[in-house]
Amino acid sequence: MISIDNLCVGFGRRLVLEGIHLHVARGEWIAVVGKNGCGKTTLLRTICALTRPQAGTVLVAGTCVQRMAALTRARTLAMVPQRPPTLPPLTALDVVLLGRFAHSGPFRAPSGHDRAVAEACLAETGAAHLAHRLAPTLSAGELSRVLLAQALAQETPVLLLDEPAAHLDPSWAITVLSILAKRHQTGQTIVLVAHDLNGAALYCPRFVALDRGRVVYDGPARDFFTANRLRDLYGTPFHLVRHPVADVPQALPLPVSADRTPTH
């Protein structure tokens, strides 16, 4: 579904991604992990053609994303950004309806079906009660759930998410992963950028780790969790345990002195 070959992305003389090779099969769910600044967000933005690569190719369903017509791209890829954008005074329902433009077109009024889809997606993300609230009045967590509903309402085969649970409390953070798990079961391809390794391990079968713009691990989630790998990737020690219910690996960062900073 997504094929990335020798991808290099930079800003000025600084390379953010270098020599990335990645294939995500149709219906697969991967978690992209790594330290702040390692290129995770840039990777997502390049996949959906918001950032232009310096070299290499990104194909989605066999087509170069940079050459896709905007409407085709909107019907293929939906993205939930890491930082909620500044929105005009639209209601939450209207924000979600923006995701339906991929199907109805930007110059047509939403149909009854569009509204039904938008309302269902708000309900799915636990945000139905926010439907008539103005977007600028929502908290960061509330807006995150509305933006997830917008992406779901696009009804695309590929869903890209950049830390969708970053502004959510633990209850909603795990609920978002459960929502994605249901979407995955229907065949949707999911690329999830995550800092919550333990939450991702409960659901994502495959981890891809970036370090300084390069892929340093690509394989089963269960094999990602080693003390040495996590220390090398994040520059801080971890203690590994098994989840008492799900029986998947979990990583607990160890306390460090206040005057110590993570390496690299």
Side-chain angles (χ1 to χ4, degrees), residues 101 104-110:
F101 285 170
S104 61
F107 304 112
R108 293 178 57 186

Side-chain angles (χ1 to χ4, degrees), residues 19-255:
I20 301 293
H21 296 271
L22 182 65
H23 177 73
V24 184
R26 186 182 299 275
E28 193 171 12
W29 184 1
I30 72 168
V32 180
V33 302
K35 291 183 73 171
N36 293 328
C38 70
K40 303 183 299 296
T41 295
T42 300
L43 178 62
L44 284 197
R45 288 179 58 85
T46 307
I47 292 173
C48 63
L50 292 175
T51 296
R52 183 175 292 275
Q54 293 182 347
T57 58
V58 178
L59 304 180
V60 177
T63 302
C64 175
V65 290
Q66 294 289 341
R67 297 175 183 170
M68 276 185 179
L71 190 58
T72 301
R73 194 160 55 236
R75 290 174 176 170
T76 306
L77 300 154
M79 180 171 172
V80 179
Q82 179 187 45
R83 296 181 183 135
T86 300
L87 293 169
L90 299 173
T91 67
L93 177 59
D94 287 334
V95 170
V96 177
L97 282 169
L98 293 175
R100 296 300 300 168
F101 285 170
H103 302 279
S104 61
F107 304 112
R108 293 178 57 186
S111 67
H113 175 67
D114 291 329
R115 289 187 173 276
V117 170
E119 290 169 352
C121 290
L122 279 171
E124 186 175 358
T125 62
H129 64 291
L130 304 174
H132 302 294
R133 286 268 304 276
L134 293 178
T137 71
L138 300 177
S139 71
E142 289 171 335
L143 186 54
S144 293
R145 284 151 57 190
V146 170
L147 293 176
L148 175 58
Q150 181 193 73
L152 298 180
Q154 267 182 256
E155 296 185 317
T156 57
V158 179
L159 186 58
L160 310 173
L161 306 105
D162 195 354
E163 298 182 54
H167 301 285
L168 300 177
D169 61 53
S171 172
W172 273 108
I174 200 68
T175 298
V176 164
L177 289 171
S178 177
I179 291 169
L180 297 180
K182 292 177 182 177
R183 291 289 176 146
H184 177 236
Q185 290 171 359
T186 67
Q188 201 161 19
T189 304
I190 301 174
V191 180
L192 169 72
V193 165
H195 278 305
D196 179 6
L197 302 177
N198 295 330
L202 293 172
Y203 293 94
C204 297
R206 176 182 168 195
F207 272 39
V208 174
L210 298 181
D211 187 17
R212 304 175 193 180
R214 293 179 176 271
V215 174
V216 294
Y217 178 84
D218 183 355
R222 64 179 180 275
D223 296 335
F224 169 78
F225 286 81
T226 71
N228 288 341
R229 177 177 290 116
L230 290 168
R231 184 194 61 229
D232 291 344
L233 185 62
Y234 290 101
T236 197
F238 287 82
H239 176 67
L240 303 182
V241 298
R242 303 292 297 184
H243 193 285
V245 176
D247 193 32
V248 296
Q250 303 279 274
L252 307 178
L254 296 176

